[in-house]
Amino acid sequence: MSGPRSTGSAVAASPGIIIARTQKLMHGRSPIPERHLPADRIDQEVTRLKQAVDAAIAEIDFERQHLRELGSQDPLMVLDAHRMMIRDPELAHRAITRIMTECINAEWALRQQIDTIQMVFDQSDNTYLRSRRHDVEQAGQRILNQLMDQSPASSPEERYPVHPDEPVIYVGEDFSVSDIVQMWRQGVAGIITEQGGADAHNIIVARGIGLPALVGATGILQHTNDGDQIILDGERRLWILNPPPEELATYKQFIKAISISREALSAYAMQPSLSRDGREIKLMANIEFLEELDLADRIGIDGVGLYRSEFLFLNCKEIPDEEMQYRCYASIVRRLRGKPVTMRLLDIGGDKACMYRQATSRDYSGSNPVLGLRGIRLLLRSPRLLTTQLRAMLRAAEEGPLHILVPMVTCCEEMIQVRKLAEQLHHDMNLHQPLSIGAIIEVPAAALVADALAEISDFFSIGTNDLVQYTLAADRSDEEVASLYQPSHPAIKQLIYQTAVGAKKAGIPLSVCGELAASPEWTSTFLNLDMHALSMSLNNILPIRRHLSKQDYKPAIPPAF
């Protein structure tokens, strides 16, 4: 049964409007199917639940026997407590009542009953009872595992099963980049998280793959229940739970209008990216996965301006070897059929703890990972990792134009070391295509020495997300300082201008690959600074192409350069 209407805002969004049903994903919880059943299926569903309860009890008895043989007493007490909870009428019997009265499947009924019991415990004045909510979760999960015939899930299909009968939006405290990718591949309609900032990596990925999302939606978890109807409004950064019929009808009309507006953008598909007076800026795509290029084929792009190579590593249990990396990189280059591809070397550090551990075989020890060992700093301390990736990229460059981008550059010495290694590898492998290595300008220090860096770089790409973060000392994923993360700050424009002057003086191409590339407010500025390309999420290419077509070129850098 739906609850009362409630609404709230979010810090940031990936665009789109979705009307769907909610499913909460708490820490340690896997999603469960939620279905309304015909009357002739109810008895069968009750039987399923009873059998799952018996199987969960049998599982506990087996574990108990094993522990008794080991002489372990404390675990026996825990198992006994779980056994009592599973047999408690408040859990299984009340769940059966829900199946019969609400005509829903056993998993959904059981999950609702677990939540109800935990809510009672949470409201108790008794400290002991409040501490028992975790036991309820574990006992209930044993039954759910039996119902779903699974151990703790491992594959994406098991972890994030999305059922086709009705769209589902996952709601949780926070989702990792890997979580979001797996959810997207399984067909989830959208996601909402309580945590997250305007330019956190997970919201950037959601925008890139076109998954409607809200982050920083504080308080939504306390308002929503599984199965509630929700409107995710990524256009206005709003969520609305249990909307009344008239509001629902209004939103359906809104969705229709947006669809018509987006259809109008199709006139700009496959068109050159030109200003009103004929000045060209290449519009390129930021991508993580090969399948994203299906959309690129429909809208027309001028190349890939940023391939984030860490996502290949993210989806592998082991560090991919040279051959696996080469096959992935080469497939992307071939798919672009002669258009340029810019690939970023691994940009990982303590801010991506799992990947840092995978790459270094140790946990990050620094107190501030955003300012710590990451990007090229980490790669130069991990020569095997850097060498393997460079070899794979250089080999892939034989298949078509591939440019290598070096992340987190702060000084010329870092670029010199990478170039020297790349040139040696290029020579040793007897490769023939020219070497192209550029620096990402995403640290103020790099922008301030852009003149010198440009002399040893083949191109620049400005990473505006980190440039804003580091210039303003405002963590882009921290909602507490979200208001301080201001790309419009005059210091940002000054650093971009200084970078543009350095690139023009050295005669090297300059691009933008951060979120500002997709901001219409910045298009004119980038046009006038003689940017070679803007690289953005695929969903932003047509709107920016249309906006660019209405701008006129007014050079901002003196001709003397």
Side-chain angles (χ1 to χ4, degrees):
M1 182 175 294
S2 297
R5 179 191 185 277
S6 57
T7 185
S9 61
V11 171
S14 174
I17 299 178
I18 301 294
I19 299 172
R21 296 286 176 180
T22 61
Q23 189 163 8
K24 292 198 290 188
L25 293 189
M26 310 300 286
H27 285 308
R29 281 190 175 185
S30 295
I32 49 94
E34 298 176 356
R35 294 188 292 269
H36 290 279
L37 304 174
D40 59 2
R41 283 279 309 280
I42 299 304
D43 289 344
Q44 178 184 342
E45 207 65 12
V46 169
T47 299
R48 282 186 66 231
L49 182 55
K50 289 180 177 179
Q51 290 174 344
V53 168
D54 291 341
I57 293 293
E59 180 184 64
I60 288 177
D61 289 344
F62 177 82
E63 293 174 2
R64 200 179 190 287
Q65 180 62 34
H66 180 68
L67 289 174
R68 183 185 290 115
E69 292 171 359
L70 295 176
S72 304
Q73 293 302 315
D74 289 344
L76 287 175
M77 294 174 62
V78 173
L79 289 178
D80 287 343
H82 287 184
R83 197 180 197 282
M84 285 175 26
M85 289 179 181
I86 290 172
R87 285 296 189 196
D88 192 322
E90 287 295 317
L91 185 58
H93 290 189
R94 291 288 179 94
I96 289 173
T97 300
R98 287 179 183 270
I99 294 173
M100 299 174 69
T101 58
E102 299 178 34
C103 297
I104 59 177
N105 62 304
E107 293 91 342
W108 194 5
L110 182 63
R111 171 58 70 200
Q112 289 188 41
Q113 189 57 28
I114 292 170
D115 290 344
T116 298
I117 295 173
Q118 289 181 323
M119 189 180 302
V120 172
F121 280 13
D122 287 341
Q123 294 172 350
S124 173
D125 293 331
N126 188 301
T127 304
Y128 174 78
L129 285 179
R130 288 200 304 272
S131 68
R132 297 278 65 80
R133 75 181 315 276
H134 186 60
D135 289 326
V136 175
E137 181 71 30
Q138 290 187 334
Q141 189 61 50
R142 284 181 178 271
I143 306 174
L144 284 170
N145 286 345
Q146 297 297 332
L147 281 169
M148 300 175 71
D149 191 26
Q150 64 174 38
S151 301
S154 55
S155 72
E157 292 81 2
E158 291 173 321
R159 291 180 63 198
Y160 306 112
V162 177
H163 299 276
D165 23 342
E166 195 167 5
V168 172
I169 289 173
Y170 286 151
V171 182
E173 292 178 1
D174 200 9
F175 299 135
S176 70
V177 168
S178 178
D179 289 335
I180 289 172
V181 171
Q182 290 175 354
M183 292 171 184
W184 168 63
R185 284 177 166 161
Q186 288 309 114
V188 70
I191 61 165
I192 303 176
T193 69
E194 288 202 330
Q195 300 177 15
D199 286 287
H201 288 104
N202 54 5
I203 194 68
I204 290 173
V205 169
R207 291 179 191 136
I209 60 182
L211 180 66
L214 298 175
V215 300
T218 306
I220 189 172
L221 285 171
Q222 72 183 60
H223 291 287
T224 186
N225 295 302
D226 285 345
D228 280 349
Q229 190 167 52
I230 189 169
I231 298 171
L232 185 166
D233 185 345
E235 308 299 321
R236 296 189 291 181
R237 299 190 303 182
L238 295 174
W239 53 268
I240 303 168
L241 273 170
N242 303 311
E246 60 274 14
E247 188 171 28
L248 203 58
T250 299
Y251 259 96
K252 288 179 179 178
Q253 289 298 317
F254 191 18
I255 291 171
K256 185 176 180 180
I258 289 176
S259 177
I260 293 171
S261 173
R262 287 179 177 167
E263 285 177 10
L265 284 173
S266 63
Y268 294 87
M270 313 305 295
Q271 296 300 310
S273 305
L274 301 173
S275 66
R276 182 162 50 192
D277 52 355
R279 187 86 175 185
E280 183 181 35
I281 297 185
K282 302 288 187 182
L283 294 187
M284 299 188 175
N286 296 341
I287 69 166
E288 290 86 31
F289 314 104
L290 186 63
E291 51 261 57
E292 291 180 78
L293 294 176
D294 293 341
L295 174 59
D297 290 338
R298 296 195 297 271
I299 65 175
I301 61 173
D302 297 313
V304 170
L306 178 64
Y307 169 71
R308 301 179 176 101
S309 65
E310 53 267 23
F311 286 91
L312 169 61
F313 288 65
L314 189 66
N315 290 311
C316 296
K317 292 183 179 179
E318 304 292 336
I319 295 178
D321 61 15
E322 179 185 332
E323 193 59 31
M324 183 177 182
Q325 290 187 55
Y326 163 72
R327 289 198 303 269
C328 175
Y329 304 153
S331 65
I332 293 172
V333 173
R334 293 190 199 106
R335 179 69 182 272
L336 267 293
R337 296 182 287 274
K339 293 179 180 178
V341 178
T342 300
M343 293 191 172
R344 183 175 70 187
L345 293 172
L346 274 173
D347 184 15
I348 61 171
D351 59 329
K352 300 183 181 75
C354 180
M355 295 183 65
Y356 181 90
R357 190 180 306 111
Q358 181 190 40
T360 64
S361 300
R362 60 187 175 86
D363 290 325
Y364 190 78
S365 58
S367 60
N368 191 338
V370 177
L371 296 178
L373 189 62
R374 57 169 292 197
I376 193 56
R377 302 171 181 179
L378 173 62
L379 291 175
L380 288 173
R381 293 200 195 180
S382 307
R384 180 178 298 179
L385 191 64
L386 176 58
T387 298
T388 299
Q389 189 171 35
L390 279 175
R391 284 179 58 91
M393 287 186 177
L394 291 171
R395 288 173 58 196
E398 297 292 291
E399 305 286 341
L402 186 154
H403 309 281
I404 299 173
L405 197 51
V406 184
M408 285 296 294
V409 172
T410 57
C411 61
C412 293
E413 287 74 15
E414 291 164 336
M415 283 299 294
I416 291 170
Q417 289 183 65
V418 175
R419 179 173 289 280
K420 183 178 180 181
L421 175 59
E423 288 175 346
Q424 183 63 53
L425 295 173
H426 193 271
H427 176 269
D428 292 346
M429 291 188 288
N430 193 30
L431 301 177
H432 305 290
Q433 294 302 314
L435 183 68
S436 178
I437 297 182
I440 303 184
I441 308 300
E442 55 190 337
V443 178
L448 293 171
V449 295
D451 279 5
L453 274 175
E455 295 297 327
I456 52 174
S457 301
D458 296 312
F459 64 97
F460 279 164
S461 186
I462 302 176
T464 58
N465 302 338
D466 273 331
L467 185 63
V468 175
Q469 170 177 248
Y470 290 128
T471 302
L472 302 181
D475 186 347
R476 67 187 191 183
S477 62
D478 186 349
E479 61 267 28
E480 296 293 336
V481 292
S483 62
L484 301 178
Y485 187 93
Q486 298 177 349
S488 59
H489 193 290
I492 306 303
K493 190 168 184 178
Q494 179 62 35
L495 290 171
I496 291 174
Y497 178 83
Q498 189 160 343
T499 302
V501 168
K504 191 164 188 178
K505 184 177 180 181
I508 63 172
L510 174 63
S511 303
V512 179
C513 63
E515 290 294 295
L516 292 192
S519 173
E521 292 80 7
W522 281 81
T523 303
S524 179
T525 297
F526 293 144
L527 172 67
N528 297 335
L529 286 174
D530 297 320
M531 293 292 170
H532 170 74
L534 305 178
S535 191
M536 63 199 70
S537 301
L538 281 162
N539 289 311
N540 291 315
I541 295 243
L542 294 185
I544 292 299
R545 186 173 287 157
R546 178 174 63 182
H547 187 72
L548 176 63
S549 71
K550 300 174 182 178
Q551 310 302 310
D552 290 314
Y553 174 62
K554 299 173 183 176
I557 300 176
F561 288 97

